[in-house]
Amino acid sequence: MTLKKREQQAILQSLKQNTSAKITSTSLLESYTKVVSLANSLQIALIVLFGLLGAMAAPIAFNSNDQQQLNIFWLLLILLGTHFLSLFIWLIGCLKRTNVSANHHWFNVLLSKLGRTMRLPKEVIEAFLTLRFGSSAGTWGVARLLHCCWTSYLLGGLLSAVLFLMTHQVHFIWETTLLTQQDFHSLTQSISTLPSWLGFPAPSAADIAFSQVGIDQQPEDTRKTWAIWVLACVFIYGVLLRLMLAVLSHILYHQKRTAVWHSYTSNKPLTAQVSSQIVDPAPTNQSDSQIAPPRPLESAEQRLTTLDQICYLFEWSKSVPTDALNGCNAASLNNAEQQQAYLQHPSDHRAIIIDADISPDRGSLRFLRQANATTESFYLHGNAFVQVWNQALQERAIAPHKIIHLKD
């Protein structure tokens, strides 16, 4: 498997920033390629598994009585109900825009466990999760996988349904206590709108009349019309809909993933591209032996200990830790304009609170180094990358006593 050049550069830069482990470039790329292969294999396995489950579930939906009668709309509900329920839950999640750390997606948790089982380097797995499933790229990456799995499930069910209808003769019926034949005709016509646009025939009023429960004889053409109509509904409202969402998620995932890679490989950080005032001095040519090991973190038990500090949440994506802030009104430093204003208008007793559950990037570290002169404390909230942040901040000349771990 060949990795893209930009991704290779991003891997090396990410490992350089986020770990002190001595891993050669060759072994790093080999391990990273293994993680990529593992992730691809896991995704393919899940898609195939869902296809098999769909193929096994469809015949259960076609279980009929001794007269081989199938309730039309109940059959559609069984075939498409779970699909629409999961789609509704996914849409609600998108509207809520819940921000999840790259390491907390269910797929990434599963991949991490498999990677540890295969004894792949932890640093390489974390780099993979950051570069391929970091930030909003992970949201759309998991969405793409979910829609692909559902496409496979529905396609497997559709093929199984076609095979069942080719080898069984069934009578499609409808029955009701509260509704009328005209109500069913209106409902059928509404559902048939999209299939009709694609050339699938819609059941006529006569087909609906012949399908009411209690009718002994059902013409063969009516059975075929209902069979094609049911299959068309599953294809259009199930397979085609999920496939379109999978393609959309794939496009958005690639855009977000490219942005993550660009943040590691570009010569300037993203904040510097918006505002030329946030720049970074040229790096010094210190050897590894000249860089002192980071001092251990101080801890603030559960909340801020200094009440007169002005707090700033830096590039914050999760819920605000109100208990830990101890009543401090926190402002945001989430974009270049806010960060520029922070640098241009210094004041006393300012503290920056950093989300330590997200790994640092070059743009963030460059801003924090510039903000060091006018910042009293740097609080690290979270545990996932707290030691990485501690080391990165100290390497950028931020005094160890100013870096404090704000415990949950």
Side-chain angles (χ1 to χ4, degrees), residues 60-333:
I60 298 176
F62 279 89
N63 277 341
S64 58
N65 54 29
D66 294 336
Q67 281 107 17
Q68 291 289 78
Q69 293 181 338
L70 289 173
N71 189 304
I72 302 162
F73 292 100
W74 188 250
L75 175 62
L76 272 185
L77 182 63
I78 295 175
L79 291 174
L80 295 176
T82 308
H83 148 66
F84 278 116
L85 178 61
S86 69
L87 186 60
F88 175 75
I89 295 174
W90 176 77
L91 289 173
I92 292 297
C94 290
L95 293 176
K96 290 177 65 176
R97 296 184 180 275
T98 303
N99 289 292
V100 182
S101 175
N103 293 329
H104 295 162
H105 285 298
W106 63 267
F107 176 77
N108 296 348
V109 172
L110 180 59
L111 180 64
S112 297
K113 291 182 178 180
L114 289 176
R116 288 194 296 270
T117 302
M118 296 178 61
R119 298 183 179 180
L120 295 173
K122 180 181 178 181
E123 297 84 357
V124 176
I125 296 175
E126 291 178 351
F128 172 84
L129 296 180
T130 300
L131 296 178
R132 293 230 177 180
F133 288 89
S135 186
S136 56
T139 300
W140 290 111
V142 173
R144 179 187 66 173
L145 175 59
L146 285 175
H147 293 313
C148 285
C149 287
W150 272 106
T151 301
S152 178
Y153 179 89
L154 293 165
L155 185 60
L158 180 64
L159 295 177
S160 181
V162 171
L163 181 61
F164 182 91
L165 292 173
M166 289 176 63
T167 56
H168 294 74
Q169 178 173 297
V170 297
H171 296 271
F172 292 95
I173 64 169
W174 61 269
E175 54 186 335
T176 181
T177 302
L178 299 177
L179 303 180
T180 66
Q181 180 174 322
Q182 182 59 38
D183 294 330
F184 269 92
H185 182 266
S186 300
L187 178 60
T188 303
Q189 293 302 312
S190 298
I191 298 176
S192 302
T193 301
L194 286 179
S196 297
W197 289 353
L198 297 179
F200 294 100
S204 63
D207 293 324
I208 294 175
F210 279 124
S211 303
Q212 188 170 5
V213 66
I215 301 298
D216 294 332
Q217 297 295 327
Q218 187 176 68
E220 182 179 352
D221 289 343
T222 298
R223 292 197 300 270
K224 288 183 178 180
T225 299
W226 280 118
I228 294 174
W229 184 80
V230 168
L231 295 176
C233 289
V234 173
F235 174 73
I236 294 171
Y237 296 111
V239 177
L240 193 59
L241 176 59
R242 286 287 185 171
L243 183 60
M244 292 172 62
L245 289 173
V247 171
L248 176 62
S249 298
H250 177 75
I251 294 173
L252 292 173
Y253 168 66
H254 270 265
Q255 291 177 349
K256 301 296 183 181
R257 190 183 69 178
T258 301
V260 173
W261 294 354
H262 183 73
S263 68
Y264 282 94
T265 59
S266 60
N267 293 326
K268 296 181 180 180
L270 295 179
T271 51
Q273 293 175 14
V274 179
S275 176
S276 60
Q277 298 295 324
I278 302 178
V279 295
D280 190 33
T284 58
N285 294 323
Q286 286 181 296
S287 64
D288 292 340
S289 61
Q290 293 175 303
I291 300 176
R295 288 178 53 182
L297 281 167
E298 298 183 21
S299 277
E301 294 293 339
Q302 293 186 342
R303 57 180 61 195
L304 295 178
T305 55
T306 305
L307 298 179
D308 60 347
Q309 286 182 326
I310 304 173
C311 307
Y312 292 85
L313 296 174
F314 178 65
E315 295 186 353
W316 205 260
S317 60
K318 57 186 181 183
S319 59
V320 177
T322 53
D323 293 339
L325 290 179
N326 196 21
C328 174
N329 293 322
S332 297
L333 291 174

